[in-house]
Amino acid sequence: MIEKASALYDKTVTCPHCETPFTTKRIRSGSLTVAHRDSDFCTHFKEQALNPILYSVSVCPQCGFAFNDQFQKTLTLSQAQEVQQKITAKWTPKEFGSVRQRIEAIVSYKLAIFAAELTNQPHSVKAGLYLRLAWLYRFEANEAEEIRFIRMAAAEYEESYIHSDYMRTDKEMSEVRLMYLLGELYRRLGEFDQAIRYFGKALSFRNQTIESGILRMAQDQWQIAREEYKQKTGMESPQLD
């Protein structure tokens, strides 16, 4: 078991709203052991209390603005006014910069989602927040809330695909990876037509990508989605082109 004190470190960040510098905890890269990864990329660690997603949202103790590293670094005047009126004016100073339990991480994500909506962050940024919040609820075994936020994540990822903003904000998100992820999110929602459609889009990259692992996952999950579709409808699902 890794001691929290050795795995955590203080990082100084600057609030995009009030420009106050403050310290918040982060997890040292390489300090944790992966137990397994779910088919929607949710990573489980042997030391789940030190899962990095618990700490990926920073919450300004001064003004209440919550953000992650993908947020735009500056706010427009109108965005700053919205934050001032709807967050800061109602903010009671709280400390999120020390060791976090899951419940505190959940609160930090909800604060960041509200801030992202107010400041019109890219769809991919909002989608990532929704998905990670769903994972936190998965760790809590709260299926209803997990599914609720997976649905919101899928909607935002679709908007991100339409507007191509994932290309600017998420270095790890390629088009084939996004198609696979949308397929898997819709499969988890039980929307098998949509799932099969997006897995098909991912598999259409067979001769255009070096991400062979994603293609294998798309093939496997497409087959699972087809079986689930048949169980649900009693009919064969559409074939790939």
Side-chain angles (χ1 to χ4, degrees), residues 70 118 120 132 168 227 229 234:
Q70 292 183 321
L118 276 184
N120 197 30
R132 283 155 183 78
R168 302 188 299 274
E227 292 167 1
Y229 178 94

Coordinates of all heavy atoms in Angstrom, one line a residue, residues 70 118 120 132 168 227 229 234:
Q70 N -7.9 21.4 -18.9 CA -8.3 21.6 -20.2 C -9.2 22.9 -20.4 O -9.5 23.3 -21.5 CB -9.2 20.4 -20.7 CG -8.3 19.1 -20.9 CD -9.2 18.0 -21.4 OE1 -10.3 17.8 -21.0 NE2 -8.6 17.2 -22.3
L118 N -21.2 27.8 -17.5 CA -21.3 29.2 -17.4 C -20.3 29.9 -18.4 O -20.6 31.0 -18.9 CB -21.0 29.7 -16.0 CG -22.1 29.7 -15.0 CD1 -21.6 30.3 -13.7 CD2 -23.3 30.5 -15.5
N120 N -18.9 28.5 -21.1 CA -19.0 28.0 -22.5 C -17.7 27.3 -22.9 O -17.1 27.5 -24.0 CB -19.3 29.1 -23.5 CG -19.8 28.6 -24.8 OD1 -20.4 27.5 -24.9 ND2 -19.5 29.3 -25.9
R132 N -16.0 11.4 -16.2 CA -15.3 11.1 -15.0 C -16.2 11.2 -13.8 O -16.0 10.4 -12.8 CB -14.1 12.1 -14.9 CG -13.0 11.7 -15.8 CD -12.0 12.8 -16.2 NE -11.0 12.3 -17.2 CZ -11.3 12.0 -18.5 NH1 -12.5 12.3 -19.0 NH2 -10.3 11.6 -19.3
R168 N -8.8 20.1 -30.6 CA -8.1 21.3 -30.1 C -7.8 21.1 -28.6 O -6.9 21.8 -28.0 CB -8.8 22.6 -30.3 CG -9.1 22.9 -31.8 CD -9.7 24.3 -32.0 NE -11.0 24.4 -31.3 CZ -12.1 24.1 -31.8 NH1 -12.2 23.6 -33.1 NH2 -13.3 24.3 -31.2
E227 N -25.1 -8.9 -29.7 CA -25.8 -9.9 -28.9 C -26.8 -9.3 -28.0 O -27.9 -9.8 -27.8 CB -24.7 -10.7 -28.1 CG -23.8 -11.5 -29.0 CD -22.6 -12.0 -28.3 OE1 -22.4 -11.7 -27.1 OE2 -21.7 -12.7 -28.9
Y229 N -28.4 -6.5 -28.5 CA -29.5 -6.0 -29.3 C -30.5 -7.2 -29.6 O -31.7 -7.0 -29.5 CB -28.9 -5.5 -30.6 CG -29.9 -5.0 -31.6 CD1 -30.3 -3.7 -31.7 CD2 -30.5 -5.9 -32.6 CE1 -31.2 -3.2 -32.7 CE2 -31.4 -5.5 -33.5 CZ -31.8 -4.1 -33.6 OH -32.7 -3.7 -34.5
G234 N -35.1 -9.5 -30.1 CA -35.4 -10.8 -30.7 C -35.0 -10.8 -32.2 O -35.3 -11.7 -32.9

